[in-house]
Amino acid sequence: MVRLTAEEMCGTTRVIRVYQRTGSKVELKERIDWEVETPKDGWATRDGLRENRDLANALLDPNIEAVVIKDMCKGVISKATIEFIVDRLKDRQEILYFLSSKEFAPDYWKNLLKPVRDNVRLLMIPPVAAQHAQQVKQFASWIVRPGDARRTPSKEALEIVRSVGESFPNAYVVALPDDRTLLARSPTREPDPSGLLWRADKELRSFEGSPMASVLFPAMIAHYLDAPNSSLEDLVRQGLNFLLSWISKESGRVVWPDTWRPETPELNPLHAEGPPMTLSPVKWHEAQHNWQQALEPHLHTRGVIGDQPDLKHLELWRAMLEVDNYVCLVPAKREVLRAIIAEFNAFKSAGTGGHRGCLLIASPGSGKTHLASRLAEHLGLGLLEFNITQMLSKADLLDCFDTIVTTQFQNRDKRFLVFVDEINAKLDNQEVYSTFLAPLEKGVYRRAGKTFQIAPCAWLFASTKDPEEPASSEDGTNKASDFVSRLTLPKKRFPPCQHR
């Protein structure tokens, strides 16, 4: 590796990829990454920028039309950089700003750009930032699919896009939840903002892994600068036309390396013609109002959508966002589901990681068993169900462990959700919490003096009462506290059902 000088340093990761083609299959054989360590304060300090005469002189250029800020979160774009540029250009009202950042809604979008807020024309939320927002806000998905032929933005997606654009009233907001989806909204200054939703066709095989945001962002900027009075649909359609044309041509670099040749001349973002596409309109205020009526019980709508008597209707799919085919309208209950799903998703992505466990406390008849089956299907896990009240002795409980081990051995490529209901019930007049300590902590259980290994599982325990409450720990020896301490997710409680 060559050691870089201070002048040569760059915060971006440098990557070399080596592919091997065998017949029609292209396989990544080697990837080499390296990057210079990023200083804590970023590459560009305020003092360094003041001394940088080249940058200062460049900002004096009277021909500057736009400032494009694309933050890859590598330290090159710092708060000092933004502050320096805005301070030098804040009196030039003709200059427009276009923003994109892999960090979700960074501070400088609102604070440092406040002097030029009315000149910001485009805010892009690339897939990395969109997925980060989903984790931070803890919501199920950006886009909901109530049917094969229909997709719609989720309640949270509508609110996030609206709130991001609120600080910049003249800016279009474009969110890319993944490499195949786009959600766009017109500026907030419009009295009735419009939106568009687009999803790539299944036939577009070369789309996977393509740098969507890096191509779409400059294409939309070029079109806006060429035609600033374009509608949201024109802006999005032109950007996507260039993106899809670029992907179809550039993918040949890897897919057909023997015959691929660079395009001459290069694609023009202002005159690109992509394949036919469907842009679904989104009426923003109406969409948010419908979600509010469907999910907020304090409105006394009981999930009924519509303000006119002859147009009122139910859309049950709106209550199945966290878990497929599991209806949940109570906000507190939805938060519990999100926490459980996040825990079990971490279990899935951990590979050979350890056991994950959580305890759900809920009243009888609240649908715990149905939830377990829906969770397993939603997460793509096998399901093993056990109920303590259906056992006669602790020997039956050991049989359950045998069943788990045998099933895992027969399905070595599958991971399992183990649901244990009525964990607070007693066997042989004793509580069973202690029996699960070793399986949860070490992944083992003992039978007839022999130790058996249990492969990592996602454990979901259900109880009708809190095992740590004094009333359920009369003799203080039931190991309830030890059992709870072995769980990887703090115990969760479903709110009691309310009937109207």
Side-chain angles (χ1 to χ4, degrees):
M1 182 184 296
V2 178
R3 185 174 183 84
L4 300 177
T5 65
E7 289 76 21
E8 296 171 319
M9 281 187 175
C10 177
T12 350
T13 305
R14 301 188 180 191
V15 181
I16 295 176
R17 293 185 178 91
V18 180
Y19 294 89
Q20 176 177 305
R21 181 180 178 188
T22 306
S24 61
K25 182 179 180 182
V26 178
E27 183 180 0
L28 177 63
K29 302 297 292 184
E30 191 72 43
R31 171 171 171 157
I32 305 169
D33 301 4
W34 71 89
E35 61 183 311
V36 182
E37 184 178 356
T38 305
K40 292 182 179 180
D41 296 330
W43 292 96
T45 64
R46 192 171 302 165
D47 293 337
L49 288 167
R50 290 196 184 100
E51 297 170 3
N52 190 326
R53 295 183 179 179
D54 290 337
L55 177 59
N57 290 335
L59 295 176
L60 295 176
D61 188 342
N63 296 316
I64 294 177
E65 294 182 42
V67 173
V68 178
I69 300 172
K70 182 175 173 62
D71 188 1
M72 305 295 287
C73 294
K74 296 293 184 179
V76 176
I77 301 296
S78 66
K79 292 182 179 180
T81 307
I82 306 302
E83 189 176 29
F84 182 83
I85 293 173
V86 171
D87 184 62
R88 294 300 190 277
L89 301 177
K90 63 184 178 183
D91 295 328
R92 296 181 58 180
Q93 298 300 317
E94 77 279 9
I95 295 179
L96 305 179
Y97 292 78
F98 304 86
L99 315 176
S100 175
S101 175
K102 285 190 174 182
E103 178 186 353
F104 174 67
D107 290 341
Y108 64 75
W109 279 17
K110 291 188 294 186
N111 301 329
L112 299 181
L113 288 163
K114 192 173 182 180
V116 294
R117 65 190 294 267
D118 291 335
N119 288 14
V120 176
R121 291 295 188 267
L122 176 64
L123 296 168
M124 181 164 285
I125 306 173
V128 172
Q131 291 158 18
H132 179 242
Q134 190 172 340
Q135 295 170 357
V136 172
K137 303 288 185 179
Q138 288 192 339
F139 62 97
S141 61
W142 278 80
I143 307 300
V144 182
R145 182 180 176 181
D148 291 338
R150 181 182 173 190
R151 294 177 187 273
T152 186
S154 68
K155 176 178 180 290
E156 292 83 2
L158 292 166
E159 176 56 28
I160 285 175
V161 173
R162 183 205 63 77
S163 62
V164 167
E166 197 171 41
S167 300
F168 305 97
N170 296 318
Y172 293 94
V173 181
V174 177
L176 308 175
D178 54 52
D179 285 337
R180 300 175 64 90
T181 311
L182 175 145
L183 176 62
R185 185 184 191 269
S186 60
T188 55
R189 60 174 169 74
E190 296 184 2
D192 188 17
S194 59
L196 289 173
L197 176 62
W198 172 82
R199 175 74 174 172
D201 296 331
K202 294 180 180 178
E203 292 76 16
L204 198 58
R205 298 180 186 275
S206 63
F207 200 95
E208 198 67 36
S210 297
M212 182 177 182
S214 297
V215 178
L216 182 63
F217 185 51
M220 294 185 71
I221 293 173
H223 182 70
Y224 185 91
L225 292 175
D226 182 65
N229 295 321
S230 296
S231 65
L232 173 65
E233 181 174 352
D234 288 340
L235 188 65
V236 171
R237 190 176 295 277
Q238 289 296 326
L240 288 175
N241 276 337
F242 178 76
L243 170 71
L244 300 179
S245 299
W246 185 91
I247 288 171
S248 65
K249 296 180 184 301
E250 287 294 316
S251 61
R253 186 192 298 269
V254 172
V255 180
W256 305 288
D258 296 336
T259 58
W260 182 85
R261 295 292 181 272
E263 286 294 318
T264 306
E266 295 183 354
L267 290 170
N268 187 330
L270 302 181
H271 304 290
E273 293 185 5
M277 69 181 76
T278 300
L279 300 177
S280 303
V282 178
K283 296 181 179 179
W284 217 269
H285 290 164
E286 180 181 328
Q288 286 190 296
H289 182 62
N290 288 347
W291 278 113
Q292 188 178 39
Q293 287 187 310
L295 298 180
E296 298 189 14
H298 69 268
L299 294 176
H300 305 291
T301 61
R302 294 183 174 87
V304 178
I305 297 173
D307 298 319
Q308 300 178 21
D310 56 338
L311 296 178
K312 289 187 176 182
H313 60 284
L314 284 170
E315 292 180 338
L316 197 57
W317 56 266
R318 292 181 185 270
M320 301 179 185
L321 301 185
E322 275 66 36
V323 181
D324 294 339
N325 297 317
Y326 183 81
V327 177
C328 181
L329 286 169
V330 181
K333 192 174 181 180
R334 295 165 75 90
E335 290 182 10
V336 172
L337 290 181
R338 290 169 185 168
I340 294 175
I341 291 171
E343 183 69 13
F344 289 164
N345 272 329
F347 164 75
K348 285 180 60 181
S349 62
T352 56
H355 293 260
R356 299 280 181 137
C358 64
L359 171 64
L360 178 62
I361 305 169
S363 58
S366 56
K368 299 184 292 294
T369 303
H370 177 61
L371 170 61
S373 65
R374 295 298 90 209
L375 268 175
E377 184 174 341
H378 179 79
L379 296 169
L381 300 172
L383 177 65
L384 295 171
E385 299 180 71
F386 307 101
N387 191 312
I388 303 299
T389 61
Q390 296 175 2
M391 303 175 191
L392 299 177
S393 66
K394 284 196 174 183
D396 294 335
L397 188 53
L398 296 179
D399 289 340
C400 296
F401 295 147
D402 290 341
T403 299
I404 296 171
V405 172
T406 301
T407 306
Q408 288 177 330
F409 180 79
Q410 295 172 343
N411 303 269
R412 297 187 180 185
D413 295 332
K414 195 170 186 66
R415 311 197 83 188
F416 287 89
L417 169 64
V418 179
F419 175 57
V420 183
D421 200 6
E422 305 288 353
I423 187 66
N424 56 302
K426 295 182 178 182
L427 292 178
D428 298 330
N429 205 31
Q430 293 182 337
E431 292 175 323
V432 300
Y433 301 114
S434 60
T435 312
F436 289 92
L437 299 183
L440 289 172
E441 184 176 15
K442 301 178 181 179
V444 299
Y445 72 100
R446 292 183 61 83
R447 183 171 192 144
K450 296 181 179 180
T451 301
F452 298 89
Q453 190 77 33
I454 304 176
C457 300
W459 296 83
L460 176 61
F461 298 95
S463 175
T464 56
K465 59 183 179 180
D466 189 338
E468 293 185 300
E469 289 180 354
S472 61
S473 306
E474 297 172 359
D475 56 5
T477 61
N478 67 351
K479 299 293 184 179
S481 296
D482 292 339
F483 167 75
V484 172
S485 71
R486 300 307 195 274
L487 301 173
T488 55
L489 182 72
K491 57 190 178 185
K492 300 295 180 181
R493 185 187 296 273
F494 267 176
C497 297
Q498 295 181 352
H499 301 282
R500 297 184 187 179

